[in-house]
Amino acid sequence: MSRVLLLFMIMVTVLAGCMSLDKAATGSKQPQKVKNEPQRATAKLIDQTGKSVGTASFEEVQNGVKMELAVTNIAPGQHGLHIHEVGKCTLPDFQSAKKHFNPTHKEHGEKNPKGKHMGDMLNLTVDSTGKANASLVLAGVTLQKGQAHSLFHFGGTSIVIHEKIDDYKTDPSGDSGKRIACGVIQ
């Protein structure tokens, strides 16, 4: 019986040594995520016909998520701009994006005494050539999956441009009209 036990111990030692050599030879270690590595996301916006009209990039910053938006071929003027609660942009009306992203259950708008919810943003101003750029911080939200107020909650989120100006007070959407562009945040 002691020979069997001795043989078993030798085999375990040899196998453990081979595994160590294999890792050392290939240099394979489990990748370690840097704790303070910025989280990033993007969205490709499409219009009601499915044509590409721009992009948005998102990056985790100290007090929320910074968004950079660049769009073309949008009607000149001011347009409501919101994060919606579902990451789905089904043509032609984008109703699949559902309501505004509102994990704190507030009302709509900068000027609403009961607002504002986390999906609210300032209006997007499109120039006479149909182009617009915007840079802003979505305070209180995160890109960290599994965290409260994450844009990557179950079902995801999307960014939506509306046809009219947001009045910053009318609940639930600022009276901003139809959805004219949409992009899934991923």
Side-chain angles (χ1 to χ4, degrees):
M1 182 68 121
S2 60
R3 279 186 173 167
V4 171
L5 183 59
L6 181 61
L7 235 108
F8 177 76
M9 290 176 67
I10 291 170
M11 284 178 34
V12 168
T13 304
V14 169
L15 282 173
C18 287
M19 289 174 66
S20 294
L21 286 173
D22 183 46
K23 280 186 180 179
T26 62
S28 66
K29 291 183 179 178
Q30 289 295 328
Q32 298 294 320
K33 188 171 187 176
V34 179
K35 288 184 182 180
N36 294 325
E37 178 182 328
Q39 298 295 309
R40 298 175 193 276
T42 59
K44 295 178 182 177
L45 284 88
I46 56 172
D47 67 12
Q48 295 170 306
T49 66
K51 180 181 170 191
S52 175
V53 293
T55 59
S57 63
F58 302 84
E59 180 179 359
E60 189 91 20
V61 294
Q62 186 174 0
N63 56 343
V65 172
K66 181 178 181 182
M67 181 193 75
E68 299 278 342
L69 176 71
V71 294
T72 59
N73 298 315
I74 300 290
Q78 290 192 312
H79 299 271
L81 180 65
H82 308 109
I83 301 295
H84 282 247
E85 68 182 352
V86 176
K88 194 170 183 183
C89 295
T90 304
L91 298 172
D93 60 8
F94 308 121
Q95 291 299 313
S96 57
K98 302 291 182 185
K99 300 176 186 176
H100 293 181
F101 180 63
N102 188 8
T104 55
H105 309 288
K106 303 252 180 167
E107 289 192 15
H108 177 82
E110 293 281 332
K111 296 178 183 176
N112 188 325
K114 297 179 183 177
K116 85 178 191 157
H117 54 65
M118 292 182 165
D120 289 343
M121 291 186 269
L122 296 176
N123 285 310
L124 178 66
T125 302
V126 179
D127 70 19
S128 62
T129 68
K131 295 180 182 177
N133 291 295
S135 178
L136 56 94
V137 174
L138 302 166
V141 303
T142 183
L143 295 175
Q144 302 287 327
K145 291 180 182 178
Q147 298 293 314
H149 311 150
S150 176
L151 295 181
F152 289 119
H153 66 87
F154 180 75
T157 53
S158 55
I159 181 170
V160 173
I161 300 173
H162 292 261
E163 73 174 330
K164 299 188 306 184
I165 191 170
D166 183 333
D167 67 14
Y168 297 141
K169 61 185 175 190
T170 304
D171 196 47
S173 66
D175 197 27
S176 54
K178 295 178 191 174
R179 301 165 188 196
I180 61 169
C182 183
V184 175
I185 299 171
Q186 41 194 347

